[in-house]
Amino acid sequence: MSGDVRIELPEARRDSHLRTDGPAISVSGLDKSYGSNHVLNNLSFGFDRGKVYVIMGPSGCGKSTLLRHMIGAEHPDSGSVLIDGIDIHSPSRKVRDEARRKFGVLFQSSALLNGLTVAENVALPIQRHTDLPQSTIDLMVKLKLELVGMGDALDKYPYEISGGMKKRAGLARAIALDPAIVFYDEPSAGLDPVMIGVIDKLIKDLTSKLGITSVVITHEMPSIFRIADEVLMLFQGRIVFRGTPEQLRTSNDPVVRQFMNGDPEGPINAPRQLSELSERLIGPGLRKMNDE
Ligand SMILES: Nc1ncnc2c1ncn2[C@@H]1O[C@H](COP(=O)(O)OP(=O)(O)O)[C@@H](O)[C@H]1O
Ligand SMILES: [Mg+2]
């Protein structure tokens, strides 16, 4: 099966859709250490199609690492990630590409190229993965930019637009090839509350209107309650909670409670270190205030 394989539009579209009735994403026994830092600890879970899944957890708990493993950007020490039943870490490049075509990714930075206009940025993946004529690509780009409310900004350069617009352009690029799944790494980072609401609505709409499965990493509590069908909380490389936003709200798990309440004291380590640090710097007064 070597040589040039020309992908026509209908095939490209069909490829990006989910074929099996099984889970959209299936993670099993995923394990990863960096030296002595055991970041992903035997993680197993499945995501159904057409829902919004939120992955949350304290800084450094392994959310981005998990995402990199799910999109095949990094190889696990052991375990597997199946995208629509296809191994994203397969030794076969052809198999990996097949899995890769099923999803788009919106990175935290939006990752737009500054030398290209918004429209040219969105066109990139279509040009790379299809042989469609430019006139068709232009139409697809316009459609995707209109979907995210950016129909007027085709010819703008990334440095000419706001952070929220960059996010939306990045999203248009992530969905350029009609993926069945979209991964988002902290889509609301650095945005004001109104723009966060706009992005949340887009994630919700894309999921319901296009039947996309969305996997969103965020700590933004209002977002979680607005968008999530299910929430997974990651802590010390394990999933310590999985449930609906309502179950999250009423969970008695001490890690979940500390995170939700923003308590400086509790099982999550980093804030404890921080309060010990502040105690050393400004004396026990602060600790006393916290205890009261
Ligand atoms: N490429 C890497 N090499 C070494 N350590 C890493 C690497 N990527 C992440 N880590 C470590 O793994 C842990 C989890 O990081 P990360 O997944 O970025 O957390 P989060 O996204 O939840 O904030 C951190 O302790 C981080 O220092
Ligand atoms: Mg991260």
Short mmCIF file of all heavy atoms in Angstrom, two decimals, residues 34 37 39 57-66 68 74 185-186 217 219 234, ligand 1:
data_model
loop_
_atom_site.label_atom_id
_atom_site.label_comp_id
_atom_site.label_asym_id
_atom_site.label_seq_id
_atom_site.Cartn_x
_atom_site.Cartn_y
_atom_site.Cartn_z
N TYR A 34 8.24 10.25 34.02
CA TYR A 34 9.44 10.98 33.61
C TYR A 34 10.44 10.81 34.73
O TYR A 34 10.24 11.39 35.81
CB TYR A 34 9.13 12.46 33.39
CG TYR A 34 8.11 12.73 32.30
CD1 TYR A 34 6.83 13.16 32.61
CD2 TYR A 34 8.44 12.54 30.96
CE1 TYR A 34 5.90 13.41 31.62
CE2 TYR A 34 7.50 12.78 29.96
CZ TYR A 34 6.24 13.21 30.30
OH TYR A 34 5.31 13.45 29.33
N ASN A 37 9.20 10.62 38.34
CA ASN A 37 7.90 11.29 38.41
C ASN A 37 6.85 10.46 37.67
O ASN A 37 6.80 10.44 36.44
CB ASN A 37 8.05 12.69 37.79
CG ASN A 37 6.83 13.56 38.00
OD1 ASN A 37 5.86 13.14 38.65
ND2 ASN A 37 6.87 14.77 37.47
N VAL A 39 3.67 10.16 36.28
CA VAL A 39 2.67 11.17 35.93
C VAL A 39 1.31 10.56 35.58
O VAL A 39 0.28 11.07 36.01
CB VAL A 39 3.18 12.07 34.78
CG1 VAL A 39 2.14 13.12 34.41
CG2 VAL A 39 4.47 12.76 35.19
N GLY A 57 -8.25 19.16 37.12
CA GLY A 57 -7.34 18.73 38.17
C GLY A 57 -6.30 19.79 38.41
O GLY A 57 -6.12 20.68 37.56
N PRO A 58 -5.62 19.73 39.57
CA PRO A 58 -4.66 20.78 39.90
C PRO A 58 -3.51 20.85 38.89
O PRO A 58 -3.23 19.88 38.20
CB PRO A 58 -4.14 20.39 41.29
CG PRO A 58 -4.56 18.97 41.51
CD PRO A 58 -5.72 18.70 40.61
N SER A 59 -2.86 21.98 38.85
CA SER A 59 -1.69 22.19 38.00
C SER A 59 -0.68 21.09 38.22
O SER A 59 -0.39 20.74 39.36
CB SER A 59 -1.01 23.49 38.40
OG SER A 59 -1.36 24.48 37.55
N GLY A 60 -0.13 20.56 37.16
CA GLY A 60 0.93 19.56 37.27
C GLY A 60 0.42 18.16 37.52
O GLY A 60 1.21 17.24 37.71
N CYS A 61 -0.91 17.95 37.50
CA CYS A 61 -1.43 16.61 37.80
C CYS A 61 -1.36 15.70 36.58
O CYS A 61 -1.65 14.51 36.68
CB CYS A 61 -2.85 16.67 38.34
SG CYS A 61 -4.07 17.06 37.07
N GLY A 62 -1.02 16.25 35.42
CA GLY A 62 -0.83 15.39 34.25
C GLY A 62 -1.86 15.55 33.14
O GLY A 62 -1.94 14.73 32.22
N LYS A 63 -2.65 16.64 33.18
CA LYS A 63 -3.71 16.82 32.18
C LYS A 63 -3.14 16.95 30.76
O LYS A 63 -3.58 16.26 29.84
CB LYS A 63 -4.56 18.06 32.50
CG LYS A 63 -5.21 18.02 33.87
CD LYS A 63 -6.01 19.27 34.15
CE LYS A 63 -5.21 20.56 34.21
NZ LYS A 63 -4.24 20.63 35.30
N SER A 64 -2.16 17.84 30.60
CA SER A 64 -1.59 18.03 29.26
C SER A 64 -0.84 16.78 28.81
O SER A 64 -0.86 16.43 27.62
CB SER A 64 -0.65 19.24 29.23
OG SER A 64 -1.37 20.42 29.50
N THR A 65 -0.20 16.10 29.76
CA THR A 65 0.50 14.86 29.43
C THR A 65 -0.50 13.82 28.92
O THR A 65 -0.26 13.16 27.89
CB THR A 65 1.24 14.32 30.67
OG1 THR A 65 2.15 15.33 31.12
CG2 THR A 65 2.01 13.05 30.35
N LEU A 66 -1.63 13.73 29.60
CA LEU A 66 -2.68 12.80 29.16
C LEU A 66 -3.15 13.17 27.75
O LEU A 66 -3.29 12.30 26.88
CB LEU A 66 -3.85 12.82 30.16
CG LEU A 66 -5.10 12.04 29.76
CD1 LEU A 66 -4.77 10.56 29.54
CD2 LEU A 66 -6.19 12.18 30.83
N ARG A 68 -1.50 14.80 25.41
CA ARG A 68 -0.46 14.48 24.42
C ARG A 68 -0.47 12.99 24.09
O ARG A 68 -0.19 12.60 22.96
CB ARG A 68 0.92 14.92 24.92
CG ARG A 68 1.12 16.43 24.94
CD ARG A 68 2.61 16.80 25.02
NE ARG A 68 3.28 16.20 26.17
CZ ARG A 68 3.30 16.74 27.39
NH1 ARG A 68 2.69 17.88 27.63
NH2 ARG A 68 3.91 16.13 28.38
N GLU A 74 2.82 11.76 22.12
CA GLU A 74 3.80 11.15 23.01
C GLU A 74 3.46 9.68 23.21
O GLU A 74 2.29 9.31 23.20
CB GLU A 74 3.81 11.88 24.35
CG GLU A 74 5.19 11.98 24.91
CD GLU A 74 5.24 12.83 26.16
OE1 GLU A 74 4.44 13.78 26.28
OE2 GLU A 74 6.08 12.53 27.01
N ASP A 185 -7.13 22.08 24.89
CA ASP A 185 -6.30 22.24 26.09
C ASP A 185 -6.51 23.65 26.64
O ASP A 185 -6.06 24.63 26.04
CB ASP A 185 -4.82 21.99 25.78
CG ASP A 185 -4.00 21.80 27.07
OD1 ASP A 185 -4.58 21.87 28.18
OD2 ASP A 185 -2.78 21.57 26.96
N GLU A 186 -7.20 23.75 27.76
CA GLU A 186 -7.51 25.01 28.42
C GLU A 186 -7.95 26.10 27.44
O GLU A 186 -7.29 27.12 27.30
CB GLU A 186 -6.29 25.47 29.24
CG GLU A 186 -5.85 24.35 30.17
CD GLU A 186 -5.20 24.84 31.46
OE1 GLU A 186 -5.24 26.05 31.72
OE2 GLU A 186 -4.68 24.00 32.19
N ILE A 217 -9.91 20.20 28.47
CA ILE A 217 -9.16 20.37 29.71
C ILE A 217 -9.40 21.78 30.20
O ILE A 217 -9.18 22.73 29.46
CB ILE A 217 -7.66 20.15 29.46
CG1 ILE A 217 -7.40 18.69 29.15
CG2 ILE A 217 -6.84 20.62 30.65
CD1 ILE A 217 -5.98 18.39 28.81
N HIS A 219 -9.85 24.35 34.12
CA HIS A 219 -10.17 24.46 35.55
C HIS A 219 -11.26 25.47 35.76
O HIS A 219 -11.56 25.82 36.89
CB HIS A 219 -9.07 24.98 36.46
CG HIS A 219 -7.68 24.78 36.08
ND1 HIS A 219 -6.96 25.68 35.37
CD2 HIS A 219 -6.86 23.76 36.38
CE1 HIS A 219 -5.74 25.22 35.24
NE2 HIS A 219 -5.65 24.08 35.84
N LEU A 234 -8.43 14.45 37.63
CA LEU A 234 -7.16 13.75 37.68
C LEU A 234 -6.37 14.27 38.88
O LEU A 234 -6.33 15.48 39.12
CB LEU A 234 -6.42 14.10 36.38
CG LEU A 234 -5.38 13.16 35.81
CD1 LEU A 234 -5.98 11.80 35.53
CD2 LEU A 234 -4.82 13.74 34.52
N1 LIG B 1 8.31 16.17 28.72
C1 LIG B 1 8.37 16.12 30.05
N2 LIG B 1 9.53 15.78 30.68
C2 LIG B 1 9.59 15.73 32.03
N3 LIG B 1 8.57 15.98 32.85
C3 LIG B 1 7.39 16.32 32.29
C4 LIG B 1 7.23 16.42 30.87
N4 LIG B 1 5.95 16.77 30.61
C5 LIG B 1 5.34 16.91 31.80
N5 LIG B 1 6.21 16.62 32.82
C6 LIG B 1 5.87 16.62 34.25
O1 LIG B 1 4.68 15.89 34.38
C7 LIG B 1 3.83 16.48 35.35
C8 LIG B 1 2.49 16.79 34.73
O2 LIG B 1 2.62 17.86 33.81
P1 LIG B 1 1.41 18.38 32.91
O3 LIG B 1 0.82 17.22 32.21
O4 LIG B 1 1.91 19.51 32.10
O5 LIG B 1 0.39 18.91 34.03
P2 LIG B 1 -0.94 19.77 33.90
O6 LIG B 1 -1.24 19.95 32.44
O7 LIG B 1 -1.98 19.00 34.64
O8 LIG B 1 -0.65 21.08 34.59
C9 LIG B 1 4.57 17.68 35.89
O9 LIG B 1 5.24 17.28 37.07
C10 LIG B 1 5.55 18.01 34.79
O10 LIG B 1 6.70 18.61 35.33
#
